[in-house]
Amino acid sequence: MTQKKLKELLASMTVEEKAAQLTQVNGVSIKKDTQAELTGVDPRFAITLDEISRVGSVLNFASAEEAKEIQNRYLERSEKKIPLVMMMDVIHGYRTIFPIPLAMGATFDPALTEECAKMSAVEARCGGVQATFAPMVDLARDQRWGRVMETSGEDPYLNGEMGKAYIRGFHAGGLACCVKHFAAYGAAEAGRDYNTTDMSAHSLAQYYLYAYGECLKENPELVMSSFNALNGKPVNANKGLLIDLLRNEWKFNGVVISDYDAVWEMIAHGYTENEKECARIAINNEIDMEMVSTTYINYLPELLEEGAITEKKVDKMVGRVLALKNKLGLFENPYYGMDVENAEKVFLSAEYRNLARIAAEKSFILLKNEKEVLPLKKTEKIACVGPFAAERGIIGAWACNGRKEDAVSVLQGLENYLGESVPSAKGCGYELLATDESGIKSAVKAAKKAKTVIACIGEYMDDSGEGASRSKLNLPAPQIALLKALKEKGKKVVAVVFGGRAQELDEVEKYSDAILYVWQPGTEGGNAVARTLYGEVNPSGKTTVSFPRTVGQMPLYYNAFRTGRPKPVDDFKNVYYVSSYRDVLNSPLYPFGYGLSYTKFEISNLTISATEMDENGEIEVSVLVKNVGKYDGEEVVQLYLRDHHASMIRTVKELKAYKKIFLKAGEEQRVEFAINEKTLRFYNADFKYVSEKGKFSVMVGNSSENVLEKEFILK
Ligand code: BGC
């Protein structure tokens, strides 16, 4: 539709029609026939299909057929026939499920992430989806928070790179997308979902806002405001964030959508007295679309009448929603994406499964490999035990229309690979509060003839994700008892650990010879695990969250501020009155950026092209990377910077660049980076994004702790 026609359409709309465009309803809460009982849906926000012309968008529906039916019923009933935009959470796949975003972060591979997002989008369009609520780029430093699984981890730079990759991929596959949750939702106090966030303006600007800002460079169509209160106000009431920063400074002119119910939740926060106030505040902050709650359709006309909101503002907001629909071509084709005919051909096709398998393989992290237990030899007798051995619930939270039944378990993957059956037993359940150890005997029995036992343990997919916070991060006692029992029988134990977050693995370390962390690997998880264990692929994933020794270290992240009393050595002995614990080391069990390989990489010979730089200068940094082991493999070479002193205290180190390279056994390569004045910028004491003169360290290595270091001066 031309801009002129769009303007005419807007000018012809009634106030009620405008309020409808600004409202999104849950497809599950649409009563198909008015007699139907709704289960699991808040009845306050339910509408009947006859009332559907009161909304402008629908989220959550089962299939393209259903999306089509909803669109048809809407078009029959609405006078202006402005099509609905159909949205869903396509986070890491639609039907073919790719590894969770946290696992994709571990690949340090934006191009692969982009490809996965593209395929997710193509599948989603066969499922009736026109726009997705992704990527999520909330910075997360606390593993108790269940939604860590949706992020790329604890580093703002990596979060931004991965967020942009997701957007490029969704766009290439034909989906509009939505950066969320603006802002600082990931800093919920005590890691408890939906809890308050309270932080300094500097931390917010420097670390928490970074990735949202980066993502806007790829022109996402929507931004979602978050549920949480930030520094004393619900985000939907935060003009500083929503208007001053997002609209005025960052010039975002797409659609801002609230999170689920979040406009209405301002009452629960104790910030507003009633729904009308919620609507007034959210509209004045240009929340262009209210998700699920219905304060706009109930009160927008009245608020306009009273002059509490202006027509100009409402028109601006409606204009943005119409522009989104126009960009998707919905006025010409309201059924865009409702590709019913192609669905069965596309869903779970060999090409998609293949990509899902490759992505999973590249996301696995080899945390331990003592005496090179891995890779396994085909001739070795094995058994596969543990609560996740035959489990297909390994596709992760937010798996959209993915189904567990379509997923390949580890046991199935091993049998596919070996072409023979593998002895197996569960041993115990995966429930967080499980105590029953009575099945361990039968698991040990199943492993009787095996030299090496693959123990599939960890966290079930529903125990991370939205509303799935945890107060403990250790594995339940029966799972540890299983490892211990196997070890006592003299078995070589290979722990394959599932999880939607970093868990406490010190006990797992104790009783395992090798540990492969496989996250929630998606539909092809089991095949990917088997191929990795047998060395068809060499693990190359790196941690993007610090793995704690104990939950008491939370929040734990490598890029922490320096203190006045740093600990000289990471030891308990003779260290008093420094920033430390009496009962645990400060360091994580596995630091950010860590991950082993079947081969060995040596990084040496750090060179910098100058030891001084002025504001127009550039310093070239390079290291020599050599594959000194027996296998070909990939390594992630990471560059960190430390600013020695500044007008605001700075962090111990911060990731500024990385390169993932492939080297054949015996091969070496010089890896080069460049640093200029822009790389050194931060929000200084005057809140200016600038660099400050002085000493810097540049560090290059293959984890945040294993680095070579040189210094230079910014003049
Ligand atoms: C989540 C969002 C999601 C929305 C729609 C909310 O509960 O916080 O991330 O996009 O639901 O499903």
Side-chain angles (χ1 to χ4, degrees):
M1 190 181 272
T2 62
Q3 292 307 315
K4 188 168 164 259
K5 282 219 159 127
L6 219 51
K7 266 198 186 141
E8 284 166 10
L9 173 64
L10 180 59
S12 74
M13 286 165 75
T14 64
V15 172
E16 286 72 21
E17 284 167 341
K18 288 177 185 173
Q21 286 308 309
L22 304 182
T23 301
Q24 180 178 68
V25 72
N26 190 337
V28 198
S29 66
I30 297 174
K31 295 193 216 175
K32 290 267 164 70
D33 76 69
T34 40
Q35 307 306 317
E37 272 298 308
L38 286 172
T39 49
V41 165
D42 190 332
R44 283 167 312 160
F45 306 136
I47 64 161
T48 67
L49 263 182
D50 285 331
E51 296 174 304
I52 194 154
S53 61
R54 297 181 71 203
V55 307
S57 176
V58 170
L59 84 150
N60 293 349
F61 38 88
S63 61
E65 281 96 335
E66 196 176 304
K68 228 174 193 171
E69 188 201 327
I70 294 172
Q71 188 75 290
N72 277 335
R73 299 283 284 266
Y74 168 83
L75 291 170
E76 278 163 23
R77 280 159 183 77
S78 121
E79 198 194 314
K80 297 270 157 45
K81 309 210 179 303
I82 304 166
L84 297 166
V85 54
M86 307 297 288
M87 295 193 67
M88 219 160 145
D89 291 275
V90 183
I91 309 291
H92 53 110
Y94 178 79
R95 209 30 222 286
T96 309
I97 303 303
F98 298 93
I100 56 171
L102 186 54
M104 290 310 295
T107 67
F108 277 76
D109 192 339
L112 175 70
T113 305
E114 187 175 329
E115 196 53 31
C116 295
K118 180 180 166 191
M119 288 213 178
S120 310
V122 174
E123 265 197 353
R125 288 204 291 111
C126 294
V129 186
Q130 298 165 335
T132 174
F133 300 110
M136 188 272 227
V137 291
D138 300 329
L139 187 67
R141 296 166 156 181
D142 192 328
Q143 303 304 311
R144 292 172 297 182
W145 191 50
R147 299 194 81 169
V148 163
M149 53 90 33
E150 282 175 74
T151 76
S152 306
E154 70 194 32
D155 186 73
Y157 172 69
L158 190 69
N159 244 329
E161 294 304 293
M162 288 297 176
K164 287 186 285 187
Y166 273 109
I167 296 173
R168 288 193 297 270
F170 289 135
H171 280 170
L175 277 192
C177 60
C178 175
V179 174
K180 70 187 187 185
H181 307 83
F182 188 69
Y185 175 42
E189 259 181 24
R192 215 179 64 228
D193 207 3
Y194 317 123
N195 202 7
T196 296
T197 52
D198 234 76
M199 68 169 67
S200 75
H202 269 90
S203 279
L204 183 66
Q206 182 75 33
Y207 302 108
Y208 282 86
L209 295 180
Y210 176 83
Y212 310 112
E214 275 300 292
C215 283
L216 295 192
K217 294 181 181 165
E218 295 291 347
N219 300 314
E221 289 74 10
L222 300 101
V223 166
M224 187 186 294
S225 59
S226 55
F227 290 123
N228 54 289
L230 174 62
N231 299 336
K233 273 189 188 178
V235 164
N236 287 315
N238 193 323
K239 178 177 167 287
L241 275 183
L242 297 168
I243 301 291
D244 303 344
L245 180 67
L246 185 61
R247 300 298 192 182
N248 296 342
E249 200 177 317
W250 286 354
K251 309 268 179 261
F252 179 69
N253 198 28
V255 173
V256 173
I257 185 168
S258 79
D259 203 348
Y260 204 102
D261 272 6
V263 170
W264 177 86
E265 283 174 21
M266 284 195 276
I267 301 175
H269 274 292
Y271 189 75
T272 48
E273 212 179 333
N274 52 40
E275 290 196 13
K276 192 170 161 186
E277 268 301 282
C278 295
R280 182 183 68 78
I281 290 169
I283 291 169
N284 278 321
N285 284 318
E286 297 181 29
I287 303 294
D288 304 308
M289 208 181 260
E290 178 181 13
M291 190 194 292
V292 174
S293 52
T294 45
T295 72
Y296 285 14
I297 49 178
N298 294 341
Y299 294 101
L300 185 143
E302 213 172 300
L303 287 165
L304 253 185
E305 183 96 25
E306 291 167 5
I309 55 175
T310 65
E311 197 171 348
K312 196 171 156 208
K313 185 152 270 203
V314 172
D315 283 357
K316 185 154 70 163
M317 293 163 64
V318 176
R320 290 183 186 129
V321 175
L322 297 181
L324 166 66
K325 295 181 174 182
N326 197 34
K327 186 173 174 191
L328 286 165
L330 301 186
F331 292 104
E332 290 75 28
N333 175 19
Y335 307 107
Y336 173 75
M338 299 173 191
D339 197 352
V340 182
E341 291 73 40
N342 266 327
E344 291 315 314
K345 246 188 279 159
V346 172
F347 291 166
L348 298 163
S349 67
E351 190 192 359
Y352 286 42
R353 278 189 173 270
N354 193 43
L355 184 68
R357 199 202 73 233
I358 293 170
E361 289 165 357
K362 288 194 184 260
S363 75
F364 296 165
I365 305 179
L366 185 64
L367 294 173
K368 177 176 180 179
N369 192 19
E370 217 160 76
K371 297 199 189 114
E372 300 185 0
V373 195
L374 294 177
L376 301 173
K377 288 179 198 68
K378 270 190 170 173
T379 47
E380 235 165 285
K381 280 237 167 329
I382 62 157
C384 179
V385 304
F388 291 97
E391 177 57 52
R392 294 165 193 245
I394 55 171
I395 57 176
W398 289 117
C400 207
N401 263 352
R403 298 178 194 162
K404 288 193 243 181
E405 309 84 78
D406 297 328
V408 181
S409 69
V410 174
L411 181 63
Q412 189 59 56
L414 288 168
E415 293 183 341
N416 291 346
Y417 182 79
L418 295 170
E420 61 189 47
S421 77
V422 171
S424 179
K426 205 169 162 184
C428 60
Y430 50 62
E431 297 75 16
L432 291 178
L433 302 179
T435 53
D436 184 6
E437 297 183 3
S438 61
I440 291 179
K441 264 197 209 130
S442 66
V444 173
K445 201 169 153 207
K448 199 164 173 221
K449 291 195 180 136
K451 181 176 153 224
T452 305
V453 184
I454 296 154
C456 302
I457 54 175
E459 178 188 62
Y460 186 61
M461 59 181 233
D462 292 346
D463 289 324
S464 64
E466 186 175 350
S469 297
R470 287 179 60 182
S471 72
K472 300 188 184 76
L473 294 171
N474 58 326
L475 267 57
Q479 298 195 35
I480 302 299
L482 171 65
L483 296 181
K484 192 166 172 235
L486 293 166
K487 205 73 216 127
E488 279 167 3
K489 289 280 175 210
K491 306 291 174 192
K492 283 197 177 156
V493 177
V494 174
V496 171
V497 188
F498 291 82
R501 50 159 67 84
Q503 297 164 88
E504 247 175 74
L505 298 181
D506 55 336
E507 292 280 296
V508 177
E509 265 264 350
K510 220 189 286 174
Y511 303 117
S512 313
D513 299 278
I515 305 175
L516 187 70
Y517 208 78
V518 299
W519 309 106
Q520 303 292 351
T523 310
E524 278 291 306
N527 286 332
V529 170
R531 283 169 42 86
T532 307
L533 294 179
Y534 281 94
E536 293 293 331
V537 279
N538 190 350
S540 62
K542 298 279 182 178
T543 55
T544 61
V545 281
S546 302
F547 277 61
R549 296 175 189 277
T550 164
V551 68
Q553 292 175 300
M554 288 295 133
L556 179 68
Y557 47 100
Y558 84 96
N559 40 4
F561 287 122
R562 283 151 65 187
T563 70
R565 293 195 175 193
K567 216 175 170 188
V569 277
D570 206 24
D571 196 341
F572 296 114
K573 287 173 222 130
N574 306 318
V575 278
Y576 299 105
Y577 304 108
V578 292
S579 180
S580 65
Y581 300 102
R582 274 278 187 265
D583 53 359
V584 72
L585 298 175
N586 281 8
S587 60
L589 187 60
Y590 309 114
F592 177 90
Y594 168 86
L596 304 172
S597 163
Y598 293 152
T599 195
K600 200 170 172 306
F601 292 99
E602 262 177 23
I603 301 191
S604 64
N605 201 350
L606 170 65
T607 61
I608 58 175
S609 60
T611 52
E612 284 187 352
M613 174 171 88
D614 62 26
E615 62 180 312
N616 300 315
E618 189 171 276
I619 290 184
E620 277 152 31
V621 180
S622 76
V623 286
L624 189 67
V625 185
K626 186 162 187 192
N627 180 347
V628 295
K630 290 187 294 213
Y631 302 89
D632 303 346
E634 286 181 295
E635 180 62 300
V636 181
V637 187
Q638 306 155 39
L639 182 143
Y640 298 88
L641 278 182
R642 179 192 303 133
D643 189 345
H644 282 252
H645 58 266
S647 60
M648 290 299 295
I649 56 164
R650 307 301 318 279
T651 54
V652 179
K653 60 183 74 141
E654 286 176 20
L655 182 73
K656 293 291 173 186
Y658 61 86
K659 281 187 182 162
K660 191 168 186 175
I661 58 163
F662 171 82
L663 289 180
K664 290 206 146 118
E667 235 175 30
E668 64 180 27
Q669 188 187 320
R670 216 162 232 295
V671 176
E672 289 166 356
F673 301 95
I675 298 169
N676 58 34
E677 182 272 329
K678 281 202 184 105
T679 330
L680 312 179
R681 290 186 188 174
F682 72 108
Y683 285 97
N684 74 358
D686 301 326
F687 246 94
K688 302 244 157 54
Y689 196 65
V690 293
S691 59
E692 287 179 355
K693 292 181 185 115
K695 187 154 76 172
F696 290 83
S697 285
V698 55
M699 292 159 268
V700 185
N702 60 2
S703 86
S704 59
E705 283 186 4
N706 184 31
V707 289
L708 301 169
E709 182 169 343
K710 287 236 158 126
E711 288 176 357
F712 67 93
I713 307 278
L714 177 69
K715 288 199 294 184

